[in-house]
Amino acid sequence: MSDSSLIKPLRTGQQYDKLIPLRFCESVKLGKGDTRFSVDKMAQWVGLHHAQMVNVAQLLKKETLQPTVATVHDFAYWHFQYKKDDENQLVKSPSCAWYSRAEGMDCKSFTVVCSSLLVCMGINHYIRRVKQPFHKYPDAYTHVYVIVPINQNTNDLNSGYLTLDATILENQETIFTEPKDLLIMSNQLQHYGLNGVAARSPSNNHGLGFSLGSTLGSIKNLNFSSIFGSLSCLGGSAYEKGDLERLLPAITAKYDFIYNDLNVAIATNDMEKLSVCQSLCVCWPIISVEKMDAIFYSNKWNKCTDATIHTTKAIHQSFTDIVTPLMEAYLNQYFIRTKSGLISHRVMDYQPGAPSFAEMFFSDLGRNAVHQVDKFTFMRKPGVTSIPKFEFTNDVKNALNNGTPAPTPAQYLASIANTVIGNNPVTPPSGSGNTSGGNYSQEPSPGSGNTSDDKDKDKGLGVLGWTLIGTAAIGGTIMAVNEIKKNKKNGAK
């Protein structure tokens, strides 16, 4: 059966877009191994990235087990296109899968998505890999899916289980000759981090969109030490150094959020989103300064509070002085812009997933600052096919933290161009995100890999990809990429 015969009209899923953090799909090579190694790594990938689906899981969970499994199957089947991997096998994080859902994915990524949802719901389950007697390679493990024990206390499959295979419309278990199961205990996976990136959850996770360490250069670790240097007052004030220190993570998280959205707009070739993101990146530090001015001039604070307010202003001002010119030079390097009007942003505008107003400002006194800037339409310059990510390089971080001279636009552009050589530049995808069966993203060309035999005889289970934080395969893995002979093209379903 050809892939084209399996294409289905996808549901738009617009109600989920704001619930799932956006991430680039970037390949992460994790090693070689047989299919047990692969499934182990899939479980590890679920452990690392299941929180990307926490908000969706809250909507899908029902009162009892059977309708919950049915709802998860319905969600996964109708929102993700199926596409069999050839010699390059991909295992995507849930966010990566969502971001590229119309591009298609095979059973390994479907399994990761479903398993992640179940973990968020607190439902124990197994990842099952099977040999299929009707397959071209009946002695190989060629399919993987989820099974859910009905007895969630003992997890005994002899007491009955539910199948969760979202690669097929009818949620029935395939005919198999030999299964191997790996138990996923939801309460044992909650301790995993999210690879340094917060998820969009109702608590204090902010859906930052990209790995802070690789995309924005650990912006969350900015300490603005040169700005803080003269601030020492503590105690007896409405707003003091300790208060600002507690707010700083949310302040930097907000900047990380808006610059990540800029990168997402570029990666998804969404020029309207880029227009809004660019204006917000320009506006946000300005309206934050204006908000602090409104608080300062409206009240008679003591000297310590005044000093802390001025320090907070200086932090926001540093983004206008240092980061905005570099961002504008970056956009001008790769895009043609045309002024199309004006756009306003408010300091209290709500952005799902971003830190709240209360998390970023010590006081709600004063007016709600509003600032208006030019709005531009963007289009890629002719001949531009690859665009590096907008990053906070070491020079930028040092300028913000230590007060060292900021790089010139030319220096900055040269530095990010050098960092992406061989390291996944942003390639704007083609296609529409709202077209059934269309492309939400265009994944990079598969990379070459070493050849190796798999002792479990898994044919065609290779590797690669943009994962929104990594890729892998059933023969390679979810935290890793397994490489195999390119002439074996019968990858897992």
Side-chain angles (χ1 to χ4, degrees):
M1 183 180 295
S2 67
D3 278 355
S4 60
S5 66
L6 298 173
I7 293 177
K8 63 208 174 199
L10 297 183
R11 296 172 185 169
T12 62
Q14 292 177 346
Q15 69 271 39
Y16 302 111
D17 283 338
K18 294 181 179 180
L19 303 179
I20 302 172
L22 289 168
R23 284 168 170 75
F24 288 113
C25 290
E26 297 172 336
S27 61
V28 176
K29 187 174 181 178
L30 302 168
K32 301 177 183 179
D34 59 18
T35 53
R36 175 53 194 265
F37 171 83
S38 298
V39 173
D40 285 346
K41 291 297 184 179
M42 288 174 68
Q44 188 176 2
W45 213 232
V46 171
L48 284 170
H49 304 303
H50 65 270
Q52 295 170 354
M53 301 300 285
V54 65
N55 290 333
V56 176
Q58 292 173 359
L59 294 181
L60 299 183
K61 188 173 183 180
K62 304 300 180 183
E63 291 185 1
T64 58
L65 188 63
Q66 187 167 352
T68 296
V69 171
T71 302
V72 171
H73 173 270
D74 183 77
F75 167 80
Y77 179 81
W78 287 110
H79 290 93
F80 299 88
Q81 197 64 264
Y82 173 82
K83 180 182 179 183
K84 184 174 70 174
D85 289 342
D86 293 319
E87 67 270 22
N88 296 302
Q89 301 286 309
L90 311 178
V91 177
K92 301 179 178 182
S93 71
S95 286
C96 174
W98 183 257
Y99 167 80
S100 59
R101 60 191 180 277
E103 186 78 13
M105 61 187 190
D106 81 343
C107 62
K108 299 177 294 299
S109 296
F110 271 98
T111 297
V112 170
V113 169
C114 292
S115 179
S116 295
L117 285 165
L118 294 179
V119 168
C120 292
M121 295 174 180
I123 296 175
N124 300 331
H125 55 284
Y126 292 82
I127 294 178
R128 169 169 284 184
R129 56 189 171 115
V130 297
K131 296 179 180 179
Q132 299 169 297
F134 52 82
H135 198 277
K136 182 179 180 181
Y137 297 92
D139 295 327
Y141 290 97
T142 50
H143 189 40
V144 62
Y145 51 95
V146 171
I147 56 174
V148 183
I150 293 175
N151 190 326
Q152 286 284 296
N153 294 318
T154 66
N155 300 309
D156 184 2
L157 298 180
N158 292 322
S159 300
Y161 62 85
L162 304 172
T163 299
L164 181 47
D165 185 351
T167 65
I168 54 177
L169 176 60
E170 298 297 330
N171 191 22
Q172 299 176 350
E173 190 163 30
T174 184
I175 298 173
F176 60 83
T177 57
E178 182 179 332
K180 288 190 177 181
D181 301 327
L182 176 66
L183 178 63
I184 306 296
M185 297 284 288
S186 61
N187 63 350
Q188 293 179 1
L189 291 182
Q190 297 300 332
H191 69 280
Y192 280 101
L194 195 53
N195 201 29
V197 183
R200 289 182 180 177
S201 74
S203 60
N204 62 347
N205 291 326
H206 305 310
L208 304 184
F210 300 96
S211 168
L212 296 174
S214 63
T215 301
L216 294 183
S218 297
I219 182 176
K220 72 171 184 177
N221 294 326
L222 290 174
N223 55 40
F224 304 95
S225 57
S226 64
I227 299 174
F228 266 112
S230 60
L231 183 64
S232 60
C233 59
L234 290 170
S237 300
Y239 185 46
E240 59 189 21
K241 182 178 181 180
D243 297 315
L244 179 53
E245 288 174 338
R246 286 188 290 273
L247 294 177
L248 189 59
I251 293 173
T252 54
K254 172 68 175 187
Y255 282 103
D256 180 70
F257 185 90
I258 63 177
Y259 291 120
N260 273 324
D261 266 6
L262 184 85
N263 274 326
V264 168
I266 293 170
T268 57
N269 203 30
D270 188 338
M271 295 297 100
E272 177 58 30
K273 181 180 179 69
L274 177 58
S275 176
V276 175
C277 290
Q278 179 270 342
S279 65
L280 182 59
C281 289
V282 172
C283 262
W284 179 252
I286 296 174
I287 57 179
S288 296
V289 167
E290 291 176 351
K291 179 62 181 178
M292 301 311 294
D293 278 340
I295 294 171
F296 178 77
Y297 290 119
S298 301
N299 299 276
K300 296 181 179 180
W301 304 109
N302 64 29
K303 291 183 178 180
C304 183
T305 298
D306 287 351
T308 310
I309 290 173
H310 280 293
T311 301
T312 307
K313 285 176 53 180
I315 289 171
H316 289 291
Q317 187 65 43
S318 68
F319 283 92
T320 292
D321 295 342
I322 295 171
V323 181
T324 296
L326 300 179
M327 179 197 69
E328 296 289 62
Y330 163 82
L331 293 173
N332 290 336
Q333 178 79 358
Y334 299 103
F335 296 92
I336 298 171
R337 70 168 86 193
T338 305
K339 184 177 177 180
S340 57
L342 298 172
I343 185 171
S344 297
H345 293 283
R346 304 184 311 154
V347 74
M348 293 182 68
D349 282 347
Y350 173 69
Q351 289 176 280
S356 69
F357 172 82
E359 290 177 279
M360 290 179 287
F361 295 96
F362 88 100
S363 173
D364 60 359
L365 299 175
R367 59 190 174 86
N368 177 25
V370 180
H371 194 80
Q372 189 176 70
V373 295
D374 291 337
K375 183 177 181 181
F376 298 93
T377 57
F378 289 86
M379 63 176 293
R380 272 181 290 158
K381 289 183 176 180
V384 172
T385 58
S386 181
I387 304 175
K389 298 170 190 174
F390 180 71
E391 296 187 286
F392 279 61
T393 62
N394 286 334
D395 286 343
V396 176
K397 288 187 293 182
N398 287 334
L400 291 169
N401 281 337
N402 307 320
T404 58
T408 65
Q411 291 170 334
Y412 174 75
L413 292 172
S415 68
I416 61 170
N418 291 334
T419 62
V420 300
I421 294 176
N423 289 329
N424 296 323
V426 173
T427 303
S430 61
S432 168
N434 294 317
T435 303
S436 297
N439 291 328
Y440 280 80
S441 69
Q442 177 180 331
E443 297 189 341
S445 301
S448 60
N450 299 327
T451 59
S452 65
D453 287 311
D454 185 299
K455 67 182 181 181
D456 270 347
K457 300 180 181 179
D458 295 36
K459 315 289 183 178
L461 304 175
V463 292
L464 159 107
W466 261 17
T467 52
L468 284 150
I469 281 192
T471 71
I474 187 176
T477 349
I478 178 147
M479 261 263 329
V481 168
N482 179 36
E483 302 170 340
I484 60 164
K485 292 184 177 179
K486 292 184 178 180
N487 60 352
K488 297 178 180 179
K489 296 186 178 181
N490 60 309
K493 179 179 176 181

